[in-house]
Amino acid sequence: MRKHIKGNVSWVGYIDWELEWFHGEDYSIKNGSSQNAYLIEEEKTVLIDTVWRPHSSEFVKNLEEEIDLHKIDFIVANHGECDHSGSLPALLEKIPGTPVYCTANAVRSLEGQYGKRGWNFHVVKTGEGIDIGNGKKLIFVEMRMLHWPDSMATFLTGDNILFSNDAFGQHYAVEELFNDKADTCLLWKEAMKYFANILNPFAPILVRKLEEIGKLNLPIEMIAPSHGAIWREDPLQIVRKYAEWAEAYQEDQITIAYDTMWEGTAKLAHALAEELHRLSPDTVVKVFNIARSDKNEVMTEVFRSRAIAVGSPTVSNSYLSSVAGWMEFLKQLKFRNKKAAAFGCYGWSGESVKLLQDKLGEAGFAVIGENVRSQWNPEEEDFAAVSAMAKSLLA
Ligand code: FEO
């Protein structure tokens, strides 16, 4: 079913209320999601993006109920990832030869995923445009590495809608489609989670891209991403927020993430939380057991933090496997401008703290010298070390 967006633009995507995971099981979905596709019906009829392959039959059927597919003059593929391109094979089987406008890298990703099917690609670059009649144009803006090398945004003049694809999106199902109809808390929570877990590694590129988009002087009146709510009310608020998030963002928060074997490391984590609060009551302190917490939610808390502390006992001359996977993900996300500390209990060899410190350094954190290595169970001197670590994290 189409939903009216603005002018002669309709939403023709898929609201994925049941989705629980994304990117395999690497990104948790708590509030549904959507794959947004858009239909523009001016003198030319244009489809912007499609939906994920499991919904392709429904997508094509719905589209056929709305228009004669042969009326589609061309398709814009802003991004080759299969959540947006997955219905292209089914659609282009029905309308072979329909031009597909995309970046050169998108040709590579689409042919890589679906094979060389002789699709009628038209490669575009930033600033290039195409007339769609009624005095309106589509202008293309390459969004390289936001978040794939093939990513692109498309601006519709006249209606002044930026179809931004993944940028400015959220994994959040909003049947009413618009930001002014969405639950504001969930909208911002999901927008930040999306940024922290997907876009943060590319934050320096994003800063430059936002400047470049600014210089294009596009009179943006609406931002229509490929996931979640469309930014209709004050659309530039999400652009301003991205500018803030992309500049090594932090709040007055410290996040403690740990796993434990026999509760010793858990005791240290809780002692650290209490000490941080005692020393700085206004600082938000959050504690997570890594093995029992959603890693995407915890990484969002790390993103908000000015410092983190990671704890693990020593096991087999290393840290726990739950912590190892988490640390690898932490490194991938390339957080900047944050302090870090390590702590943990041990019985015999006690390597975990040093290894955690090394890994935190590799992940780009400013690792403080203070740490807590507690043999067997935390004792008085260990809690004194917790206090020193808390002071240094807050300094
Ligand atoms: Fe929503 Fe990069 O795909």
Side-chain angles (χ1 to χ4, degrees):
M1 184 189 79
R2 75 163 73 195
K3 297 181 187 181
H4 180 248
I5 298 296
K6 188 172 192 242
N8 294 318
V9 182
S10 306
W11 175 95
V12 289
Y14 185 85
I15 307 267
D16 218 334
W17 286 103
E18 287 78 19
L19 195 68
E20 293 183 324
W21 293 103
F22 192 77
H23 284 163
E25 296 197 2
D26 209 40
Y27 189 107
S28 61
I29 305 281
K30 304 290 187 191
N31 297 290
S33 186
S34 66
Q35 297 121 48
N36 298 335
Y38 302 95
L39 187 67
I40 306 172
E41 293 167 285
E42 297 294 347
E43 287 174 38
K44 301 282 186 196
T45 300
V46 185
L47 177 69
I48 303 217
D49 294 321
T50 68
V51 306
W52 191 26
R53 192 198 294 257
H55 313 304
S56 63
S57 305
E58 195 173 339
F59 171 74
V60 173
K61 182 171 156 289
N62 286 344
L63 206 53
E64 274 178 318
E65 284 170 7
E66 298 296 338
I67 55 161
D68 173 358
L69 294 183
H70 292 94
K71 278 188 70 184
I72 296 176
D73 291 289
F74 59 90
I75 299 165
V76 173
N78 276 324
H79 176 31
E81 195 163 10
C82 57
D83 48 330
H84 309 298
S85 68
S87 300
L88 277 177
L91 181 61
L92 285 171
E93 261 182 36
K94 299 235 174 197
I95 47 170
T98 304
V100 177
Y101 285 75
C102 62
T103 62
N105 278 330
V107 175
R108 288 159 64 190
S109 75
L110 292 171
E111 288 192 335
Q113 291 173 88
Y114 307 116
K116 294 193 184 217
R117 298 181 180 219
W119 287 352
N120 182 12
F121 290 115
H122 289 243
V123 170
V124 296
K125 292 183 179 158
T126 294
E128 291 181 0
I130 182 165
D131 281 315
I132 58 169
N134 299 328
K136 296 181 184 178
K137 272 182 94 170
L138 290 178
I139 296 171
F140 304 109
V141 183
E142 288 171 275
M143 302 279 275
R144 195 177 164 83
M145 295 319 295
L146 295 172
H147 66 124
W148 270 20
D150 66 11
S151 298
M152 173 175 93
T154 300
F155 183 72
L156 169 62
T157 66
D159 295 304
N160 297 326
I161 304 173
L162 182 71
F163 299 98
S164 59
N165 199 263
D166 283 332
F168 311 124
Q170 332 89 47
H171 282 302
Y172 175 31
V174 185
E175 193 70 46
E176 301 78 18
L177 292 184
F178 296 105
N179 66 322
D180 46 287
K181 296 287 185 188
D183 177 314
T184 307
C185 288
L186 283 180
L187 174 66
W188 284 109
K189 179 182 188 300
E190 293 299 344
M192 181 183 269
K193 178 177 170 181
Y194 192 93
F195 188 99
N197 285 272
I198 293 180
L199 295 174
N200 193 68
F202 313 107
I205 300 171
L206 181 62
V207 171
R208 295 197 292 277
K209 181 52 69 176
L210 291 176
E211 285 169 4
E212 187 189 316
I213 293 174
K215 284 182 190 154
L216 292 173
N217 283 321
L218 303 174
I220 297 169
E221 291 177 12
M222 183 180 280
I223 295 178
S226 56
H227 298 290
I230 295 168
W231 301 90
R232 172 171 69 178
E233 187 177 270
D234 185 10
L236 294 181
Q237 62 182 307
I238 187 64
V239 180
R240 292 192 295 273
K241 196 52 93 175
Y242 264 42
E244 192 184 336
W245 289 345
E247 292 281 9
Y249 182 73
Q250 57 169 242
E251 298 173 18
D252 185 10
Q253 175 170 323
I254 295 181
T255 297
I256 302 163
Y258 76 95
D259 197 3
T260 193
M261 289 171 73
W262 299 109
E263 299 303 320
T265 303
K267 275 186 197 150
L268 292 175
H270 294 149
L272 177 59
E274 283 177 21
E275 186 63 357
L276 286 166
H277 179 69
R278 189 182 71 78
L279 292 169
S280 180
D282 288 338
T283 300
V284 174
V285 178
K286 295 186 182 175
V287 181
F288 299 94
N289 179 308
I290 286 171
R292 295 177 191 169
S293 303
D294 180 310
K295 72 175 186 297
N296 305 110
E297 301 285 337
V298 182
M299 289 305 172
T300 311
E301 299 301 336
V302 169
F303 175 68
R304 302 174 73 170
S305 299
R306 61 181 166 115
I308 67 168
V310 182
S312 172
T314 296
V315 55
S316 303
N317 307 110
S318 186
Y319 36 77
L320 284 166
S321 60
S322 57
V323 178
W326 191 88
M327 290 296 289
E328 201 55 39
F329 189 40
L330 183 78
K331 187 179 162 193
Q332 286 172 23
L333 295 179
K334 295 189 170 71
F335 294 114
R336 293 175 297 151
N337 191 30
K338 298 181 193 302
K339 283 186 177 181
F343 61 94
C345 287
Y346 67 101
W348 306 104
S349 55
E351 292 93 338
S352 69
V353 170
K354 171 74 169 63
L355 291 171
L356 282 173
Q357 286 180 310
D358 291 347
K359 196 75 178 174
L360 286 164
E362 279 175 40
F365 288 79
V367 182
I368 62 169
E370 291 80 0
N371 61 64
V372 186
R373 280 178 80 243
S374 170
Q375 191 166 24
W376 304 119
N377 287 310
E379 303 288 352
E380 200 173 319
E381 69 268 22
D382 301 314
F383 292 115
V386 164
S387 185
M389 187 164 76
K391 283 192 188 85
S392 182
L393 282 173
L394 288 164

